[in-house]
Amino acid sequence: MRIINKHLSRALVHVLFWMLFIFVSLFLFSDFYWKENPFLQYLSLLVILVYVNYFWLLPFFVKKKLYAVYILVFSIISFLATQLYCYTFARCGCSVFKCLSDYLWQSLVPLIFFSFVWMLYRFLDEQEKVVVIKKQHTEMELKFLKSQIDPHVLFNNLNTIYSYAIEKPNEVPDMVLMLSDNLKHVLYESNSKTVFLEKEIQFIDNYIKFQKLRVEGVKKVVYSKEIDDDVYEIAPLLLITIIENAFKHSTLNSDILIDIKVENGFLECICENDFKTEESISNNRIGLQNLEKRLQLIYKDNYEFKVEKGNTFKVFLKLKLK
């Protein structure tokens, strides 16, 4: 449909120009009657010259980047066409310079106009190709960044289930169900551009439940959430990077504070934890840098992302939900 509209717009531009050009030539700049006006005879030749230039000369010289040669050829064609009109069709008997001053515009106007039209549509086509390439690049980059997240989440959950299968087998069935939900979210639901906030929060809830079991006795997890409505949509697997890094890089016998708040279409996620060494922070930043790349690609100016390192490592994310 879009291609058809583009071709129709081009055809309309061509038809409207020729109608206007004929009207101006016959009624505003000519003293001849319709049947006596040599312009009508010359018009057929002019159309041929214009479209030879449009479909062959201009594309050829632009492709070869022979701009100076094209200008020379263009000038010669305009000059010869004007002389042909003066001495063959109009038979005005005027000098070369008088001929050029009176009739050159009839050759130049359509040639220049359609050369401009060709360059304009070529520019629009190139811009459209750039947009498509950027979109493909963005989608590929998002898939790559998401692929870096998925394995970490799943392996941590599997390790937790393995340890509980040995120590507390009665709790394994519920854990398997939670893992099944998370697998479904990561493998299927997260392939779309956005998911319902309810699904993403459920994924976070399950992940934190797993982590609470995994770090029981060595870390304290304080998780709070306040959501005014869960019908919003969010890009999948954004929050998990912040939360996962907090568990991964926090110290033993420390607190991990996670607060998620959704109000009036805005989501705020604050995650705070003690941190180990500069090496740990460096590794931590890799995941957060990937997160910020995704935020830039998806939310552009509709987010706020801050990382503060003081007595604790604190990550703040605020974004406008869709």
Side-chain angles (χ1 to χ4, degrees):
M1 187 66 181
R2 191 173 179 180
I3 296 175
I4 294 174
N5 290 335
K6 185 164 63 176
H7 289 312
L8 285 175
S9 69
R10 292 185 184 185
L12 186 61
V13 168
H14 286 246
V15 171
L16 289 176
F17 172 82
W18 286 118
M19 291 174 63
L20 179 61
F21 182 70
I22 293 171
F23 174 80
V24 171
S25 298
L26 293 179
F27 293 100
L28 299 183
F29 289 95
S30 178
D31 296 329
F32 296 97
Y33 295 101
W34 275 73
K35 63 179 180 179
E36 298 174 346
N37 196 314
F39 172 77
L40 293 177
Q41 304 167 33
Y42 175 66
L43 181 64
S44 58
L45 178 62
L46 186 60
V47 169
I48 293 173
L49 291 175
V50 165
Y51 287 109
V52 166
N53 175 68
Y54 186 88
F55 289 111
W56 186 72
L57 291 179
L58 186 56
F60 174 79
F61 285 109
V62 169
K63 184 178 180 180
K64 299 293 185 179
K65 297 183 179 180
L66 300 173
Y67 306 116
V69 177
Y70 173 73
I71 292 173
L72 178 62
V73 172
F74 184 91
S75 302
I76 293 172
I77 290 174
S78 301
F79 174 79
L80 293 178
T82 304
Q83 296 304 307
L84 182 67
Y85 178 74
C86 288
Y87 297 113
T88 302
F89 293 97
R91 297 179 182 177
C92 62
C94 51
S95 66
V96 172
F97 293 105
K98 175 66 175 173
C99 178
L100 292 175
S101 64
D102 289 348
Y103 301 110
L104 180 62
W105 70 271
Q106 288 186 330
S107 302
L108 278 182
V109 169
L111 284 168
I112 291 176
F113 176 80
F114 283 109
S115 295
F116 172 77
V117 168
W118 183 88
M119 289 186 286
L120 175 62
Y121 277 101
R122 180 176 182 269
F123 172 77
L124 294 176
D125 289 340
E126 291 297 323
Q127 289 297 109
E128 189 175 331
K129 290 178 183 177
V130 169
V131 170
V132 171
I133 291 172
K134 284 184 176 180
K135 183 178 179 181
Q136 292 174 345
H137 175 75
T138 299
E139 291 175 352
M140 289 176 63
E141 188 168 4
L142 285 174
K143 287 180 180 178
F144 172 72
L145 293 172
K146 283 168 61 176
S147 71
Q148 292 181 306
I149 299 171
D150 302 349
H152 295 297
V153 177
L154 298 178
F155 283 132
N156 285 342
N157 291 347
L158 286 171
N159 288 336
T160 302
I161 292 176
Y162 173 76
S163 62
Y164 266 72
I166 297 173
E167 299 174 5
K168 301 177 182 179
N170 292 334
E171 298 185 22
V172 169
D174 290 336
M175 297 175 70
V176 170
L177 286 177
M178 286 193 294
L179 178 60
S180 175
D181 287 339
N182 281 10
L183 278 170
K184 180 182 177 183
H185 184 75
V186 170
L187 297 177
Y188 300 107
E189 295 167 352
S190 67
N191 288 328
S192 57
K193 292 182 179 179
T194 60
V195 296
F196 285 114
L197 181 63
E198 179 184 13
K199 293 286 187 181
E200 191 70 12
I201 294 298
Q202 182 182 356
F203 174 72
I204 296 297
D205 289 345
N206 287 343
Y207 177 82
I208 291 177
K209 287 178 184 177
F210 270 102
Q211 294 304 311
K212 281 184 176 180
L213 295 173
R214 191 171 69 87
V215 302
E216 187 177 9
V218 293
K219 296 179 184 179
K220 181 181 178 182
V221 181
V222 180
Y223 173 45
S224 61
K225 61 180 179 179
E226 184 179 341
I227 301 174
D228 64 355
D229 202 334
D230 55 13
V231 296
Y232 300 111
E233 293 186 7
I234 186 174
L237 305 177
L238 284 179
L239 306 182
I240 191 63
T241 302
I242 301 173
I243 296 170
E244 185 189 21
N245 279 346
F247 283 101
K248 185 176 180 181
H249 300 291
S250 58
T251 59
L252 296 176
N253 301 315
S254 64
D255 295 345
I256 299 174
L257 306 178
I258 304 168
D259 180 50
I260 298 175
K261 183 179 181 180
V262 178
E263 187 176 9
N264 298 325
F266 286 89
L267 179 143
E268 290 186 6
C269 178
I270 301 174
C271 201
E272 187 174 0
N273 61 277
D274 293 333
F275 57 93
K276 302 174 186 177
T277 62
E278 287 300 321
E279 181 181 358
S280 174
I281 294 300
S282 177
N283 294 333
N284 195 2
R285 283 178 180 152
I286 295 174
L288 297 179
Q289 286 171 358
N290 286 341
L291 171 62
E292 189 159 18
K293 286 181 181 178
R294 289 193 67 202
L295 290 169
Q296 290 170 355
L297 290 169
I298 301 170
Y299 288 95
K300 296 182 180 178
D301 299 324
N302 295 317
Y303 77 94
E304 182 180 353
F305 183 70
K306 294 189 295 186
V307 177
E308 299 175 1
K309 187 182 73 169
N311 295 328
T312 60
F313 192 87
K314 185 177 180 180
V315 180
F316 172 82
L317 171 63
K318 181 179 180 179
L319 56 85
K320 184 178 181 181
L321 296 173
K322 299 180 180 180

